[in-house]
Amino acid sequence: MNRSVLRARRAACVILAIITAVCAAFAAMTVGASAGTLIKYDISYKGSYVYLTLTPQKSTNTIYYTTNGKMPTKSSAKYAKKLAAKSEVTVTAVEYNRSGSKVASLKAVIKPKVSAPAITAAQEDGSARITIKCGTSGAKIYYTTDGSSPTQKSKLYSGSFLCSDGVTVKARAYKSGMKASGVAAFKVNAVSPEQQVLDIVNKERTSRGLSKLVMSDKLCRAAALRAKETAVKFDHTRPDGTSCFTVFSEYGITYMAAAENIAAGQRSPEEVMDDWMHSTGHRGNILSDRYGSFGIGIYTDGGTTYWVQLFTN
């Protein structure tokens, strides 16, 4: 029995994307002698809230505001921290200097932004079944599959649908009284990562005159279990202390010769296969003429993906 370990780099790339947008419905008010001066403002979004931050022209100035449509006075609410809203609201604000003169103003209609849709895909008969969800209750989702940006004139999402390989699905959610969400995009890859690994394996084998390996359902299920186990203990010894090859009996797999390749941290089938092919032991298993059946297991935990190949004759 041939086994080898690839102690690959463990890397998890976390990308934090912060999206801010400025509400288009702003209009300056004419107040006193400072008719054209606008109070400095910033709009931000988090979850189902919209936040309005006001900044006085000078730190010694004071801002008063209302949300009932009336003109603020010095007896109105004093601005002290950013204002939060979960529904459309009109904020009217006036800034006074230390002498009590009005120096700036603002009238802002702010709307919370609908949560960006989440697009997921499940493999189905060589295609991908697309599901789109939005975290904002009552929002309507519109989508496109031609690369254009969705609008309310695009196709209304009413349920999952099939898409072919290479298609880019874009979606945007709308809800009355709220700012439209950002555009979510998802490129369909109808070929599963498991199939991609096998395709690369067989490309390497046939380029050397070797026969193709055949994907085995039982071996894939065994490899899937082993992938989860390597997230607990990255070794050919299972978490219960037994050999990796004991997994075969759990799935009724018989063999005369068998091998296992494991890896962790790679972010794609291409990357893990490149690492395996540059490791003597792993490459030997992949290119061995002793094996005809193949299984692949992939498991992601804590941002790290674990990969397991199983080979039998």
Side-chain angles (χ1 to χ4, degrees):
M1 296 182 183
N2 186 5
R3 44 175 153 160
S4 52
V5 180
L6 175 65
R7 300 207 176 265
R9 63 185 179 279
R10 298 170 180 267
C13 178
V14 177
I15 302 176
L16 176 63
I18 302 176
I19 303 176
T20 59
V22 178
C23 179
F26 286 106
M29 297 188 305
T30 300
V31 180
S34 56
T37 305
L38 209 64
I39 294 175
K40 298 176 182 178
Y41 61 85
D42 179 69
I43 300 292
S44 60
Y45 300 90
K46 185 176 182 181
S48 58
Y49 284 89
V50 58
Y51 295 91
L52 175 64
T53 301
L54 303 177
T55 304
Q57 311 294 316
K58 293 183 179 180
S59 60
T60 54
N61 291 355
T62 304
I63 297 174
Y64 296 89
Y65 71 93
T66 63
T67 56
N68 58 6
K70 295 183 178 180
M71 180 68 68
T73 66
K74 291 183 180 180
S75 61
S76 301
K78 183 186 294 186
Y79 177 82
K81 61 180 181 180
K82 61 185 177 182
L83 307 177
K86 290 191 73 173
S87 59
E88 182 177 329
V89 62
T90 299
V91 178
T92 307
V94 176
E95 180 179 340
Y96 294 85
N97 61 19
R98 295 184 66 176
S99 300
S101 299
K102 299 174 183 178
V103 295
S105 61
L106 176 74
K107 185 175 183 179
V109 180
I110 57 175
K111 300 180 180 182
K113 184 161 59 173
V114 180
S115 299
I119 306 174
T120 57
Q123 304 303 317
E124 184 176 316
D125 299 328
S127 297
R129 179 162 291 280
I130 302 297
T131 300
I132 311 175
K133 295 181 179 180
C134 178
T136 301
S137 177
K140 293 183 178 180
I141 302 170
Y142 295 83
Y143 72 94
T144 62
T145 56
D146 61 0
S148 62
S149 185
T151 69
Q152 288 176 289
K153 293 182 179 180
S154 302
K155 191 167 184 178
L156 176 65
Y157 177 78
S158 59
S160 64
F161 58 93
L162 289 175
C163 253
S164 57
D165 190 34
V167 171
T168 296
V169 179
K170 292 185 178 181
R172 175 179 279 162
Y174 295 82
K175 186 176 181 180
S176 178
M178 300 182 72
K179 183 177 175 65
S181 76
V183 176
F186 181 89
K187 186 172 183 179
V188 176
N189 187 344
V191 180
S192 69
E194 290 83 359
Q195 183 63 49
Q196 290 178 62
V197 171
L198 178 60
D199 289 345
I200 298 172
V201 166
N202 283 333
K203 182 178 179 180
E204 295 288 355
R205 290 176 63 88
T206 56
S207 68
R208 294 167 173 81
L210 298 168
S211 61
K212 291 183 178 181
L213 297 182
V214 177
M215 187 86 84
S216 162
D217 180 63
K218 287 184 178 181
L219 280 176
C220 284
R221 283 187 282 140
L225 175 58
R226 284 291 298 130
K228 289 183 179 181
E229 290 179 348
T230 57
V232 177
K233 182 178 182 180
F234 189 70
D235 200 282
H236 288 302
T237 300
R238 302 176 72 183
D240 64 3
T242 62
S243 165
C244 62
F245 298 110
T246 60
V247 75
F248 293 133
S249 62
E250 296 178 25
Y251 292 91
I253 300 169
T254 58
Y255 60 93
M256 293 295 292
E260 176 182 81
N261 285 344
I262 65 176
Q266 294 80 4
R267 293 164 293 182
S268 68
E270 293 82 5
E271 186 175 347
V272 72
M273 279 300 301
D274 184 66
D275 283 348
W276 272 329
M277 290 301 293
H278 282 86
S279 169
T280 302
H282 297 87
R283 184 175 64 252
N285 289 337
I286 292 168
L287 300 179
S288 175
D289 59 5
R290 292 186 297 171
Y291 309 123
S293 296
F294 175 82
I296 175 70
I298 304 170
Y299 178 69
T300 299
D301 179 55
T304 300
T305 299
Y306 298 85
W307 310 76
V308 173
Q309 289 179 327
L310 293 179
F311 305 83
T312 61
N313 60 341

